[in-house]
Amino acid sequence: MAQVRLDNLKKTYPNGFKAIHGVDVDIQDGEFLVLVGPSGCGKSTLLRMIAGLESISEGVLTIGERQVNDLEPADRDIAMVFQNYALYPHMSVFDNMAYGLKIRGIDKSEIRERVKKAADILELTDEQLSRKPRQLSGGQRQRVAMGRAIVREPSVFLFDEPLSNLDAKLRVQMRIEIRQLQERLGITSVYVTHDQVEAMTLGHRLVVLNEGRVEQLGTPIELYERPASLFVAGFIGSPAMNFATAQINGQGTAVALPGGAEFTLAEGVYPSHADRTVTLGIRPEDLTLSEKAQDNCVLTASLVEHLGADTLVHGHFGTDQTDMTVRLSGIRRVEKAQQLPLEILPEKLHLFDPESEKRLA
């Protein structure tokens, strides 16, 4: 196990394209860190820089006590699990898991012991160890890929979207298995995904990347409850956060939408922003039905989605036609054009500067 330090890492390609813009992250010994963001944000590039598969243009990468910028991947004491499994089709499962140890000259008895131990952890039977990869299911092949990493007993695990080729049900199962495996082994792990639900459930901390820059670093709850920017607020959470242009009143005590819908702000938080135009963020699950709702906080339903455990209601407030989505628990019988009186706790409101798109302090 080892600590991993990224100190102002940058990546610039020969054509001048800057993929990574100065990333600073300290990954603690035994931590499960997730790099998350949309396609093209730089998360896989950053992971490949840690692995040694991409060169580092600027900055310092440290694994344990060693600076590894110029070390080959095989010398960095890391093991990587790829999206496409990267198994040798002509070899048995056992030989796939053992191959990395064989080329390092490890004793045969120790290889057998390590492979058997990893197979037990991953619930791979002796029969499955004798098969070829094509004879296994997608989930079993992903277990083999993880087993090949485990037998190396590395200081750091790297995962490059390992679940993206699996169906939805199997992804959930494997997600749980990967989290339990990491907790059991206690190995420092860096995991790349574009799936924010996967990121929220797996990571001790998340790094949200946007166009090669770190938008926010924190625990899943920190990112959910206090997103630092509009980008993070819109990316973390499902369904996505509602956004609307709004105006804080002269006392800094409430924020109003153009059509008159008004929400009370947390006491004493926003007086310095009085009379300011802001971007208001509201999570769908934070809006609740209430008989005490103000007259102008009424949503007119336009579309209803029944999900079983939840009901999503899409609609708008009053005359300003501000689109909103509300997430109600359970099965709710809501008709099109029905009026829903809503309220929200002041501390659940999120205010952002419309120009910088940063959260208001």
Side-chain angles (χ1 to χ4, degrees):
M1 295 184 289
Q3 184 178 18
V4 181
R5 181 180 177 85
L6 286 62
D7 187 2
N8 196 33
L9 285 198
K10 297 180 182 180
K11 175 65 180 181
T12 304
Y13 287 99
N15 63 2
F17 175 71
K18 295 182 178 180
I20 302 295
H21 302 264
V23 171
D24 292 291
V25 180
D26 284 338
I27 307 169
Q28 300 303 311
D29 190 1
E31 182 177 13
F32 198 131
L33 184 87
V34 177
L35 305 177
V36 64
S39 297
C41 72
K43 55 188 183 295
S44 288
T45 300
L46 189 59
L47 189 79
R48 290 171 63 83
M49 290 166 71
I50 298 172
L53 302 176
E54 290 277 3
S55 62
I56 297 171
S57 302
E58 294 182 49
V60 176
L61 174 63
T62 306
I63 298 178
E65 301 298 325
R66 299 186 302 163
Q67 180 178 326
V68 300
N69 289 48
D70 300 321
L71 291 183
E72 294 296 322
D75 300 324
R76 296 192 180 197
D77 197 18
I78 56 97
M80 194 163 180
V81 179
F82 296 91
Q83 175 180 340
N84 61 357
Y85 318 135
L87 302 176
Y88 297 108
H90 63 286
M91 292 184 181
S92 68
V93 168
F94 179 95
D95 288 336
N96 264 279
M97 292 173 64
Y99 183 72
L101 302 180
K102 288 180 180 179
I103 62 175
R104 290 163 58 189
I106 304 295
D107 182 74
K108 288 184 178 180
S109 61
E110 183 176 349
I111 290 176
R112 284 195 297 272
E113 183 179 338
R114 287 198 196 183
V115 172
K116 184 64 170 67
K117 180 180 178 181
D120 290 342
I121 291 172
L122 296 167
E123 297 182 359
L124 292 170
T125 65
D126 291 340
E127 180 187 355
Q128 289 167 338
L129 288 176
S130 65
R131 295 178 182 176
K132 297 290 195 296
R134 65 177 179 274
Q135 298 174 295
L136 303 180
S137 67
Q140 289 168 340
R141 276 180 279 179
Q142 193 54 272
R143 285 195 185 94
V144 175
M146 288 191 291
R148 185 176 53 191
I150 291 170
V151 297
R152 293 189 58 188
E153 299 179 357
S155 296
V156 181
F157 278 146
L158 303 178
F159 297 88
D160 189 7
E161 303 205 47
L163 307 184
S164 58
N165 288 335
L166 305 180
D167 61 60
K169 182 178 180 181
L170 191 53
R171 284 185 73 154
V172 174
Q173 178 186 336
M174 289 300 298
R175 190 172 72 206
I176 294 171
E177 290 186 12
I178 288 176
R179 179 62 187 267
Q180 290 175 335
L181 175 65
Q182 195 276 337
E183 290 181 350
R184 180 175 177 178
L185 299 177
I187 295 177
T188 308
S189 301
V190 184
Y191 188 104
V192 161
T193 181
H194 65 274
D195 186 332
Q196 56 96 12
V197 174
E198 199 170 283
M200 294 278 286
T201 54
L202 278 174
H204 296 145
R205 289 191 301 162
L206 314 184
V207 176
V208 180
L209 289 168
N210 180 24
E211 296 183 347
R213 293 180 172 86
V214 175
E215 285 278 340
Q216 190 170 357
L217 166 63
T219 66
I221 297 303
E222 287 170 350
L223 269 61
Y224 177 83
E225 293 186 336
R226 292 190 63 81
S229 66
L230 277 174
F231 180 85
V232 177
F235 189 81
I236 298 296
S238 181
M241 184 182 287
N242 298 296
F243 295 115
T245 299
Q247 185 81 20
I248 298 178
N249 66 8
Q251 296 75 44
T253 57
V255 61
L257 299 175
E262 188 173 278
F263 301 96
T264 301
L265 295 172
E267 186 176 354
V269 175
Y270 297 104
S272 62
H273 300 295
D275 290 321
R276 182 173 181 176
T277 299
V278 297
T279 299
L280 173 66
I282 299 176
R283 293 206 180 278
E285 55 270 30
D286 290 335
L287 285 163
T288 57
L289 293 171
S290 174
E291 296 179 357
K292 300 177 182 178
Q294 300 179 37
D295 293 338
N296 53 7
C297 290
V298 177
L299 185 85
T300 302
S302 57
L303 178 68
V304 181
E305 294 182 90
H306 296 287
L307 305 180
D310 301 299
T311 300
L312 299 183
V313 182
H314 306 275
H316 60 270
F317 279 119
T319 59
D320 63 6
Q321 300 294 304
T322 302
D323 292 329
M324 286 279 166
T325 298
V326 182
R327 184 175 190 167
L328 305 175
S329 61
I331 299 174
R332 303 297 183 101
R333 306 299 180 186
V334 179
E335 303 297 330
K336 186 175 181 179
Q338 184 174 332
Q339 304 288 300
L340 301 178
L342 299 170
E343 69 173 357
I344 184 171
L345 295 174
E347 59 268 24
K348 296 295 186 179
L349 296 171
H350 305 267
L351 301 185
F352 303 90
D353 184 293
E355 294 184 5
S356 69
E357 298 190 349
K358 301 299 183 183
R359 184 182 189 89
L360 292 187

